[in-house]
Amino acid sequence: MARRDSGPDFIEALARGLDVIRVFQPRQPVLSLTAVATAAGLARPTARRILLTLEELGYVRAADGGFELTPRVLDLGMSYVLSRGLWEIARPHMESLVARTGESSSVAQLDGSDIVYVSRVAVPKIIALAVTIGTRFPAMPTSLGKVLLAALPPDEAERVLAEPTRSGIVARWQPGPAERAAALREVRARGWALTDEQLAPGIRSVAAPLRDGEGRTIAALNVTVHAAETTVDVLTGEYLPLLLQTAGAISADWAACQAVPQVTGQRVSA
């Protein structure tokens, strides 16, 4: 997987280590040495040295004759989330939204043709697909993904959607270019997105953009319900206004946070 045609500053060993971490998938939590080497495109001795190094650092561990990731890999993603500061700002607003709706709420960002969940406040309900921070889904069949894709220029959105998903999920809805373009135009026009069992049976949600002080979409916020319990009318008539209000409040707080001068650590002379 590592790219070998990069510049002189490219560190091949680091790229291979990250490749090894990425080969572990939700439905394959434990992989043999041979499976890791094959998936990462590495020789077995190289894969073994990388795995043992990652084990010593605490990112993988031996399990059932193979290897599995440890919770420590979450540190890699959470460093990004926490460095953005968005999670601390969004969380109290999300908790209030969940308390008012009784439904789960999540924040996601775009990564290629997928969305990746970076924040979540959940209620205990059984749905078709489990979601945690770091979960990855194809963007187009999700309300979060539609919002994020609609924020891009149409040609860029199509370029992004041409990238293969890394989620391992096959969505129920597989629209062609014309249908995708029409769906994203609708989202741009109304400012929010709906998905009704397009990703998987039973999953229905609405999403709205989170914006920075310049008006740029930096993430998306949703409310997710079980289709058997909540109709589209309730979702869009009762929960959507609360979602839009919450997204606006988070965006305003984030813009205010950005406007505060940053402390540089330099001592001010008296």
Side-chain angles (χ1 to χ4, degrees):
M1 288 186 187
R3 297 158 299 282
R4 307 183 192 284
D5 57 349
S6 299
D9 295 327
F10 184 78
I11 303 174
E12 183 81 14
L14 175 59
R16 288 175 173 176
L18 294 173
D19 285 343
V20 166
I21 290 176
R22 285 195 292 263
V23 302
F24 291 89
Q25 299 295 323
R27 287 187 289 274
Q28 291 181 301
V30 179
L31 296 174
S32 67
L33 170 59
T34 299
V36 170
T38 300
L42 300 171
R44 288 181 81 258
T46 301
R48 179 178 178 276
R49 289 196 299 271
I50 292 173
L51 285 166
L52 293 179
T53 300
L54 291 172
E55 184 177 28
E56 187 170 341
L57 293 173
Y59 292 109
V60 303
R61 62 190 169 208
D64 299 328
F67 295 87
E68 66 179 0
L69 298 179
T70 73
R72 188 168 187 178
V73 298
L74 294 174
D75 293 345
L76 301 174
M78 288 307 297
S79 295
Y80 167 73
V81 173
L82 295 177
S83 70
R84 301 281 290 186
L86 186 60
W87 170 237
E88 291 92 338
I89 291 171
R91 184 175 181 85
H93 294 288
M94 294 172 68
E95 289 174 342
S96 176
L97 178 63
V98 169
R100 296 169 75 185
T101 63
E103 304 291 350
S104 298
S105 178
S106 302
V107 173
Q109 293 181 307
L110 200 62
D111 182 19
S113 63
D114 296 333
I115 58 165
V116 178
Y117 286 76
V118 297
S119 303
R120 181 165 172 81
V121 177
V123 296
K125 290 193 176 185
I126 298 175
I127 60 173
L129 298 172
V131 176
T132 59
I133 292 176
T135 294
R136 177 183 292 271
F137 290 142
M140 192 63 208
T142 69
S143 60
L144 292 163
K146 289 175 185 174
V147 165
L148 295 168
L149 290 165
L152 302 175
D155 57 343
E156 185 176 352
E158 278 301 308
R159 180 187 61 77
V160 167
L161 287 169
E163 299 180 23
T165 178
R166 292 190 282 129
S167 70
I169 302 295
V170 178
R172 300 179 77 196
W173 184 47
Q174 300 286 339
E179 190 176 3
R180 286 198 301 262
L184 295 181
R185 281 196 301 270
E186 183 178 10
V187 174
R188 292 186 189 103
R190 65 188 182 187
W192 55 271
L194 167 73
T195 189
D196 187 8
E197 300 187 273
Q198 292 173 325
L199 178 65
I203 298 177
R204 181 176 286 158
S205 68
V206 284
L210 299 180
R211 296 188 171 96
D212 64 12
E214 303 296 322
R216 292 171 298 211
T217 297
I218 56 172
L221 173 75
N222 81 348
V223 170
T224 302
V225 301
H226 197 294
E229 298 177 353
T230 306
T231 65
V232 171
D233 287 344
V234 170
L235 182 60
T236 58
E238 298 181 21
Y239 297 164
L240 176 60
L242 299 176
L243 171 70
L244 294 173
Q245 180 183 19
T246 302
I250 294 172
S251 298
D253 284 357
W254 179 241
C257 179
Q258 287 182 303
V260 175
Q262 299 298 307
V263 176
T264 63
Q266 296 178 347
R267 182 173 297 177
V268 178
S269 300

